[in-house]
Amino acid sequence: MNNRIFKRILRNKASLAGFILVSFFALVALFAPLLAPAHHEHNPYQLPQSSYEVTPQPPSPQHIFGTTEQQYDLYYGVVWGTRLAFKIGITVTFFAFIIGLFLGSAAAYFGGLVDEVIMRFTDVVFAVPSLVLAMVIAAMLGPDIKNMMIALTAVAWPSYARLVRGDVLSVKNRDFVVASRALGARGPRLLLKHILPNSIYPSVVVASLDIGYIVLTAASLSFLGLGAQPGTADWGQLIAMARNWVLGSGADTWAYWHTVIIPGGAIFLFVLGWNLLGDGFRDILDPRQG
Amino acid sequence: MKPVEIIHLYKTYNKRTGRLWGGAEIKTVLQDINLQLGEREILGLVGESGCGKTTLAKVLLGLEKYQNGSVKINGLEIKELTKVGFKKLRRQVQVVFQDPYSSLDPRQTVRQILCEPWDIHGLHTDTTERERALRELLQAVGLDAAHLNRYPHEFSGGQRQRIAIARALALEPKLLVADEPVSALDVSVQAQILNLLKDISRRRALSMLFISHDFAVARFLCDRIAVMYNGRILEIAPAEELLHNPQHPYTEALLSAVPVPDPLLQKKREPVELKNEYQRAAASCPYAVRCLYYQAAKCKSTCELRQTVQNHFCACAVLPFKNKKSSYAI
């Protein structure tokens, strides 16, 4: 079945493009130490800085993507930023998924008051715009990549809780679960052996496709100074450093184009790749489209 | 000590009105059910959809709570069982569901499905002993050991129902609740499964509650048949007696809708006309609204099963009818 889905992804042009983009970024992330050897051994995400001069330098043989404000190397930033993007996207999605899975299945399985309390709480989280809530949490915890991931997880889990709850509710009263209860199976066995294996599949797919959106939000937080610190190989941070150079220098509007376009393009292509891939998945898995 | 003894069973559902703090509406789904099931007896439960057949089955399985009355299985009151006692009860009562496409977990192999009851109850823990038991079980339902590592979607409906039956037999129960086990199958396969159920119930000395909406199927398998309507039992009699001599107007109406395989006879049979008189809804007989023989004075007061012929119980207060039309016996 998974093989069949994979084949259909490759047959659709848009989702094929998405697949290629995501695979490309995955390879870059994987081989980051080879593509751009680490400058600071203990923290490879720290950007190399060739001098303290403020004005960005255009692409040159030494810095093929040029340098941004304060001479941070953009090529190094984009390569290691890819790795950081995957790290943030996967970690946040993973924890959000686990929390959502736990709360959603508990709400659906126990029902009644438990359901009411958990789902009303998720409603409260949903009621605040997610970026605003993430900003508030990140600001309270202090600007740091780890804190930013906590903030992102805190706003991402409710959608999984809802999704899992719905799927568990629909499986909970299927005959094979009732039959298992009639055999004498109780809570944990029912949930782990019968209900969850038959209900988490859609959520897993959604989770895998959420990574692009999480990375975009992470970039927003970094841009606002609530995530990665200056000098970190983070796409949002690189764009934040380009803020003063967007308009170019007096007569030449395009003088510092690379400071914006290169990290911005990386985010753009990364999120585009995940979205195209996601559309492909949805087309295949949505029963209404047959 | 009878395998099943149900006395004055009432079950109600609280239906929430939909508002957050809103109250509940009480809906009675089983009303004054009295039933007994003897050893090795197969009792058919017939009625239209939504009349409470499945709810009654779930009460027997301990999957639904009941409010009033007593449900005893081998002399033990379900309501009063402790957790341990309840687990023991599971080994005595098992179930086969209607739809074999949803009653087997699609992500488990046949081996996992059949071993689950033993895992839960800690039976046949020894590997070779378990293999032997598995083979025996498969043989009993006419499946092959080669099927063990396959998934349910690789089987036909009839084979799936055999797997479901095997699972129900794994704990060697005394009572089998079969909830329309052949309704979802092709007619040719129905016959195979019915024969299998009949064979198994004889060989294993099972009692069975067989739920159906098909008189022909119930007649083939059952010793007695009970007719249910709107949560009440309206008539109960030995199978042939019920079909040859239906007494309750509702049973008659049901039988009139059963096609007979003789085209000449079939032409003469006209379905019983059903009324729709809502002002009669207050009557104690649930069938009053649709009944042809309604008599306000009698139907309003009582609706209790009473013996009309030997072993034939009927809940109609109007009986015997003066101007009864042609018989719809099949």
Side-chain angles (χ1 to χ4, degrees), chain B residues 167-212:
Chain B
R167 174 178 59 188
L169 294 177
L171 294 174
E172 295 177 5
K174 302 264 165 45
L175 170 67
L176 192 62
V177 176
D179 188 358
E180 308 224 20
V182 297
S183 316
L185 305 175
D186 286 347
V187 176
S188 57
V189 182
Q190 283 194 8
Q192 294 172 17
I193 298 295
L194 287 174
N195 279 323
L196 177 68
L197 283 173
K198 199 168 196 173
D199 182 51
I200 284 172
S201 67
R202 279 201 195 128
R203 252 194 245 171
R204 305 201 166 208
L206 284 178
S207 309
M208 199 187 314
L209 180 72
F210 185 86
I211 296 172
S212 180

Side-chain angles (χ1 to χ4, degrees), chain B residues 199-268:
Chain B
D199 182 51
I200 284 172
S201 67
R202 279 201 195 128
R203 252 194 245 171
R204 305 201 166 208
L206 284 178
S207 309
M208 199 187 314
L209 180 72
F210 185 86
I211 296 172
S212 180
H213 59 246
D214 184 338
F215 273 109
V217 164
R219 174 191 225 168
F220 172 78
L221 201 62
C222 302
D223 304 310
R224 281 193 304 156
I225 297 179
V227 177
M228 224 173 148
Y229 182 80
N230 237 346
R232 303 186 84 132
I233 289 178
L234 295 184
E235 186 165 8
I236 180 165
E240 290 302 320
E241 161 71 16
L242 185 95
L243 297 174
H244 287 140
N245 183 21
Q247 305 223 321
H248 199 282
Y250 179 59
T251 314
E252 205 167 50
L254 280 181
L255 286 174
S256 80
V258 176
V260 289
D262 180 339
L264 293 177
L265 274 179
Q266 177 63 26
K267 258 184 203 165
K268 286 187 208 152

